[in-house]
Every structure is written in structure tokens, then in C-alpha cells.
């Protein structure tokens, strides 16, 4: 993957189109929310606009508004399901900032006091676990 990745070779576009699997929490006409495959913490989810834009500077205003509204709804669901001490909202722009998938996405990561901080997990999560988390978050999402 590089910073010139287009929609045809984009893993998130493949997920949005249903060509690649993901554990979805929520979807509407503008956005989709699914579990991060390499979670930095249990409950780590991504809010992704359906329209491909590489980073913050390539996303339509209406999509940014939808993402920001969704972050409140997802934040409430994360609180209800995981009862975290805090929730980190992260969004990386450019490889130099740590971005690895060049289709805009907002990370929402439950945090517990005293735990080391990170955006990227080391291990691929178990699918059954992610499916269970996505289902619980979907139920709590409002
Ligand atoms: P970035 O580093 O670009 O801000 O974050 C990309 C995120 O996407 C990472 O946290 C990574 O674990 C996640 N990710 C990469 N590939 C996949 C995938 O195929 N499916 C899902 N659900 N998450 C992915
Ligand atoms: Zn894409």
C-alpha cells in the first residue's frame, strides 16, 4: 500500500463494496463503521466514509459532518458496551503521521487508565470475538 492508492486497490473500498469481509457495526448512505482487524484495545472501531478520499483533505464536508455525528453515537455505544475509562479519537494523515490505509478513517479506541497508549495493535483479532463486539455495539448504537 502506498499514498497514491486509488479506490480500485483500496482495502476499505473493497470492504464497503462487500468484496472483502469486515465486522460491521453501522452503515448508512454516507458512512460505514466496522471493527479494526488489529485492535489497539478491545472495541477499537473505525468510522469510514463510503466515498474514497485519501485523507482529511479529500473528504466531502457532508461526509465529515456525518463522521463527526457518528463518533458521538459510537462513543456512547463504546461506553455502554465496554465501560472504558476514556475513548481516544484518532485520525492519521500521511505515512509520516502513521497512516497505513490511505482511505480516510477515524479510529475510536476505548482506553483504560494506566494502559500504554497506541493506535495500532500488534495482533490480528479473533473473528468470533470481533463479530460478538460488532453485534453488541450495533445493538447499543443510537
Ligand atoms: P491507519 O494507520 O491508516 O490510521 O489505520 C489503518 C487501520 O486499519 C489499522 O488500525 C489497521 O489495523 C486497520 N486495518 C488494516 N487492514 C484492515 C482490514 O482489512 N480490515 C479491517 N477491519 N481493518 C484493517
Ligand atoms: Zn478506498
Amino acid at each position: 500500500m502506498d499514498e497514491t492508492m486509488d479506490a480500485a486497490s483500496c482495502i476499505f473500498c473493497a470492504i464497503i463494496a462487500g468484496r472483502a469481509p469486515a465486522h460491521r457495526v453501522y452503515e448508512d448512505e454516507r458512512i460505514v463503521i466496522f471493527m479494526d482487524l488489529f485492535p489497539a484495545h478491545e472495541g477499537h472501531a473505525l468510522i469510514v466514509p463510503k466515498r474514497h478520499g485519501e485523507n482529511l483533505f479529500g473528504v466531502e464536508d457532508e461526509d465529515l459532518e456525518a463522521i463527526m455525528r457518528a463518533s458521538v453515537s459510537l462513543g456512547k455505544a463504546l461506553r455502554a458496551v465496554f465501560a472504558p475509562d476514556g475513548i481516544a479519537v484518532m485520525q492519521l494523515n500521511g505515512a509520516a503521521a502513521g497512516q497505513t490505509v490511505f482511505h480516510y478513517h477515524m479510529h475510536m479506541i476505548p482506553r483504560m487508565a494506566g494502559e500504554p497508549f497506541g493506535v495500532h495493535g500488534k495482533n490480528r483479532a479473533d473473528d468470533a470475538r470481533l463479530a460478538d463486539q460488532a453485534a453488541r455495539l450495533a445493538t447499543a448504537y443510537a
Side-chain angles (χ1 to χ4, degrees):
M1 254 182 291
D2 61 32
E3 291 193 59
T4 59
M5 181 172 65
D6 62 8
S9 59
C10 171
I11 181 61
F12 285 0
C13 281
I15 288 171
I16 290 159
R19 287 184 278 111
H23 298 284
R24 294 176 186 235
V25 173
Y26 172 81
E27 177 173 2
D28 63 25
E29 65 279 1
R30 290 197 173 272
I31 63 156
V32 59
I33 300 177
F34 51 83
M35 305 311 294
D36 194 297
L37 201 53
F38 295 82
H41 190 279
E42 188 174 54
H44 183 169
L46 303 172
I47 307 175
V48 185
K50 288 185 168 176
R51 183 177 162 278
H52 181 93
E54 191 174 302
N55 57 34
L56 184 61
F57 309 105
V59 183
E60 288 179 0
D61 287 352
E62 291 81 0
D63 285 346
L64 290 170
E65 288 166 18
I67 291 160
M68 196 53 74
R69 277 195 300 273
S71 72
V72 181
S73 297
L74 179 60
K76 289 175 180 170
L78 289 168
R79 283 205 300 206
V81 173
F82 298 102
D85 293 327
I87 299 170
V89 178
M90 309 281 293
Q91 196 271 306
L92 312 177
N93 299 282
Q99 186 177 7
T100 58
V101 175
F102 295 95
H103 177 136
Y104 174 102
H105 51 280
M106 175 187 281
H107 297 258
M108 292 198 66
I109 310 174
R111 308 283 322 162
M112 298 309 268
E115 288 185 356
F117 190 80
V119 187
H120 297 123
K122 289 191 184 67
N123 302 316
R124 188 192 189 287
D126 176 68
D127 276 311
R129 231 178 139 77
L130 290 183
D132 175 64
Q133 292 169 8
R136 286 154 65 205
L137 286 171
T139 300
Y141 191 94

